[in-house]
Amino acid sequence: LEQRPDQGFAGWNRCLDGQWGEGLRTVLGALGADAGRVAALDRGAAGVTVLDGGGRIQERWLLDPAGGGGGMVVDLDLAGQTLVLADRGRARLQLRDLKGQLLDEWSSHDSPTAVAWGPEGDVYALGIGGWGLRYAADGTLKAFWSLPEDGSVPQDLAVGDDGRVYVPFLRHST
């Protein structure tokens, strides 16, 4: 993982391999950053590492320390002291604090593949079935919309400071 302040040398870099112990391989799958912190989703070990602005590990935790499994977290985003995680395997969205404590969790109306915080504190999710979803932070569905164009596969989503939602597509040619 590397922090780059500009086009020059890296501000810092941090190798996260081996942080979970023997037999758990690190495979970074998603990042979220806010207020000088970065949260890294480790899909290999099914854990999250939170680093400060200097690249020092502040927190790290496994998604299911009891080893129960059943989920497949594929994305995360960070806003202030709260992470939102997209669990595609269980079709759920989770809110967690920086230490990994579960704050809230709810079923998504379309199994989430990507997630982002909006500027108003709402959670935006991209569903595997081609739906955009907007939830209040308490899990209340506020809006939903189908994503356009048959044959196009949405890949990710981001929400701008103005509240506009951006979705890149992969288009299959026939």
Side-chain angles (χ1 to χ4, degrees):
L1 184 61
E2 185 171 85
Q3 184 257 3
R4 300 198 62 87
D6 54 33
Q7 52 186 309
F9 293 109
W12 54 262
N13 57 41
R14 176 83 179 194
C15 178
L16 299 176
D17 285 338
Q19 70 172 329
W20 305 105
E22 201 63 34
L24 292 175
R25 183 171 168 246
T26 294
V27 179
L28 296 182
L31 299 172
D34 187 46
R37 287 189 199 90
V38 62
L41 173 64
D42 185 337
R43 290 185 185 163
V48 173
T49 303
V50 179
L51 298 97
D52 68 12
R56 293 173 293 278
I57 294 175
Q58 297 298 297
E59 304 291 343
R60 67 177 180 179
W61 35 273
L62 295 173
L63 293 167
D64 186 0
M72 182 174 70
V73 175
V74 295
D75 197 19
L76 59 70
D77 198 16
L78 173 63
Q81 302 288 317
T82 309
L83 289 154
V84 58
L85 294 100
D87 185 340
R88 184 169 59 198
R90 296 185 311 131
R92 297 184 71 74
L93 295 164
Q94 298 179 353
L95 300 183
R96 293 183 181 246
D97 68 14
L98 297 179
K99 294 183 180 298
Q101 182 70 36
L102 184 64
L103 303 173
D104 201 357
E105 180 178 37
W106 62 88
S107 293
S108 175
H109 291 78
D110 188 8
S111 193
T113 61
V115 68
W117 286 104
E120 70 293 296
D122 289 348
V123 173
Y124 291 76
L126 176 63
I128 198 167
W131 290 91
L133 305 158
R134 178 181 175 187
Y135 294 93
D138 66 359
T140 303
L141 182 65
K142 293 177 78 172
F144 62 94
W145 60 96
S146 67
L147 296 169
E149 297 190 37
D150 288 339
S152 295
V153 181
Q155 300 296 301
D156 198 3
L157 89 158
V159 182
D161 291 342
D162 59 1
R164 292 183 186 183
V165 179
Y166 299 90
V167 179
F169 289 89
L170 177 67
R171 182 164 296 155
H172 295 289
S173 58
T174 56

